Amino acid sequence: MRRVVLPEAGLETIYGAHDANLKHIEALLRVRIRTQGAEVLIEGQPADEERAGRIFDQLKALVDEGYSLANGDVKTAAQLVVDGGDLDLRDYFLKNGPRQATRRRVNPKSVNQRKYLDTIDQFDIVFGIGPAGTGKTYLAMAQAVSYLLAKKVSRIILARPAVEAGEKLGFLPGDIQEKVNPYLRPLYDALYDMMDSERALRLVERGTIEVAPIAFMRGRTLNDAFVILDEAQNTTSEQMKMFLTRMGFGSKAVITGDITQIDLPNPKASGLVEAVKIVGGVEGIGFVYFDERDVVRHKLVQQIVKAYEAHSGATKPHGA
């Protein structure tokens, strides 16, 4: 049996409503957990007891160091310890990062998300590839805002293919802003999550933050900027090459996409798929691949992503 005495201050959050967090850890590690006030008693196989104990030990350390646990942090911590072996949760919850500069606290919720943030810090061009809900765009946006507020860059540019890879916007009513806004809305949503909306609007009006379809990147050199290309799986080969060659001095570029959701008439023509093959071996470019374990939306989304991946594998032609 493993015993851990927890601090009274964080007890309610650690246990969760109706002990929901304890039940989650029990199911995750196949252990039995009983509580006596602030004392947690863990029973199970020795290895499982040890892992469960390590979760509570590290949660206790976080609270002791002044970290205020938020709803969901305990389940995130449990999954991180299960996936990451001997990792230190302080690298996820206390490490200096975008959460300190942005309006909403942003913590990586998986090993790959921590790797993604570290890779963005380390490399000037980073590809984040994986299914919906894995935090590819959200975390990149958090890093961009953090860099801007810390004056590491002077502007943020958010780009996305609009409507389709050919960006044939002419049939839509209104001026160019009205034409592209519906397709850029997710980028605005993430931006407003990071910053007060009035401040974000002022920065957009001044051009410090620019949200535009990728076609607007043509012919420009982007110096001292943090550039995010979202939904990159829907770029053509020409668009991707054009984007990657816009990089100027003092800039960072993050390219995000899901190669299982290509909307191009010919999926094989995806600029993202081609770029991975062409620049995959270029020194100085980072790649982070996400999977269903990194999905941070509703728990059913994780299962849906997994089911689609299984279906895709089952229906793939033999030898493909």
Side-chain angles (χ1 to χ4, degrees):
M1 181 184 293
R2 181 85 144 75
R3 297 172 183 267
V4 181
V5 179
L6 299 172
E8 294 282 352
L11 209 55
E12 188 175 338
T13 305
I14 292 175
Y15 288 176
H18 307 295
D19 292 341
N21 290 335
L22 301 182
K23 293 171 185 174
H24 177 78
I25 294 171
E26 283 183 324
L28 197 62
L29 292 171
R30 299 182 299 279
V31 294
R32 181 166 176 259
I33 297 174
R34 292 180 292 118
T35 61
Q36 295 176 355
E39 188 176 43
V40 175
L41 309 174
I42 307 163
E43 294 179 282
Q45 294 297 320
D48 296 329
E49 281 185 10
E50 178 58 31
R51 283 198 297 174
R54 195 159 67 247
I55 292 169
F56 290 110
D57 285 339
Q58 293 208 43
L59 288 171
K60 177 180 183 295
L62 284 172
V63 173
D64 287 345
E65 290 188 38
Y67 182 84
S68 179
L69 288 167
N71 186 32
D73 281 350
V74 175
K75 289 181 180 178
T76 295
Q79 193 64 55
L80 286 168
V81 171
V82 169
D83 292 343
D86 295 328
L87 64 79
D88 189 338
L89 288 178
R90 288 175 296 186
D91 287 341
Y92 291 78
F93 295 99
L94 296 178
K95 188 172 180 177
N96 291 334
R99 65 184 176 85
Q100 297 191 359
T102 56
R103 187 176 75 165
R104 176 174 290 195
R105 188 173 71 194
V106 178
N107 292 319
K109 297 184 183 300
S110 71
V111 173
N112 277 333
Q113 288 193 358
R114 175 74 267 163
K115 179 183 176 184
Y116 186 49
L117 292 177
D118 290 342
T119 303
I120 292 173
D121 277 335
Q122 184 179 355
F123 296 100
D124 288 339
I125 297 179
V126 175
F127 287 79
I129 300 169
T134 50
K136 304 182 301 293
T137 303
Y138 196 83
L139 291 174
M141 186 75 75
Q143 285 285 65
V145 172
S146 177
Y147 270 61
L148 180 68
L149 298 181
K151 302 190 185 306
K152 294 180 181 179
V153 297
S154 61
R155 56 183 170 153
I156 297 173
I157 298 173
L158 313 171
R160 201 180 201 201
V163 186
E164 60 179 18
E167 296 176 11
K168 296 174 183 175
L169 299 167
F171 69 92
L172 293 171
D175 60 22
I176 186 64
Q177 199 67 25
E178 291 170 323
K179 288 173 188 288
V180 302
N181 261 349
Y183 307 98
L184 301 176
R185 188 76 247 171
L187 293 175
Y188 281 110
D189 289 343
L191 176 62
Y192 294 149
D193 231 8
M194 302 296 158
M195 304 180 75
D196 177 82
S197 58
E198 289 186 10
R199 185 178 187 186
L201 282 172
R202 285 197 304 272
L203 292 173
V204 169
E205 288 170 1
R206 292 206 302 258
T208 303
I209 298 176
E210 180 180 347
V211 184
I214 190 173
F216 282 40
M217 301 293 105
R218 195 173 300 279
R220 303 172 64 182
T221 300
L222 306 173
N223 292 317
D224 199 26
F226 196 118
V227 192
I228 299 172
L229 173 58
D230 192 34
E231 298 287 341
Q233 75 275 6
N234 290 328
T235 59
T236 63
S237 173
E238 294 79 9
Q239 287 171 330
M240 179 60 76
K241 181 181 177 183
M242 178 270 291
F243 177 83
L244 291 174
T245 54
R246 296 309 93 195
M247 283 284 290
F249 295 107
S251 290
K252 279 190 177 286
V254 179
I255 299 98
T256 71
D258 178 1
I259 57 177
T260 68
Q261 294 193 27
I262 300 171
D263 298 322
L264 297 169
N266 178 13
K268 292 182 180 178
S270 167
L272 177 59
V273 174
E274 182 186 66
V276 171
K277 296 175 183 175
I278 293 174
V279 304
V282 175
E283 189 175 348
I285 298 179
F287 291 84
V288 179
Y289 294 89
F290 299 90
D291 57 34
E292 80 278 351
R293 291 171 300 177
D294 302 301
V295 173
V296 292
R297 294 179 182 172
H298 192 287
K299 63 181 180 180
L300 284 176
V301 175
Q302 191 176 64
Q303 296 306 313
I304 290 167
V305 169
K306 198 171 182 178
Y308 268 92
E309 286 182 351
H311 175 75
S312 177
T315 57
K316 191 175 290 186
H318 182 69

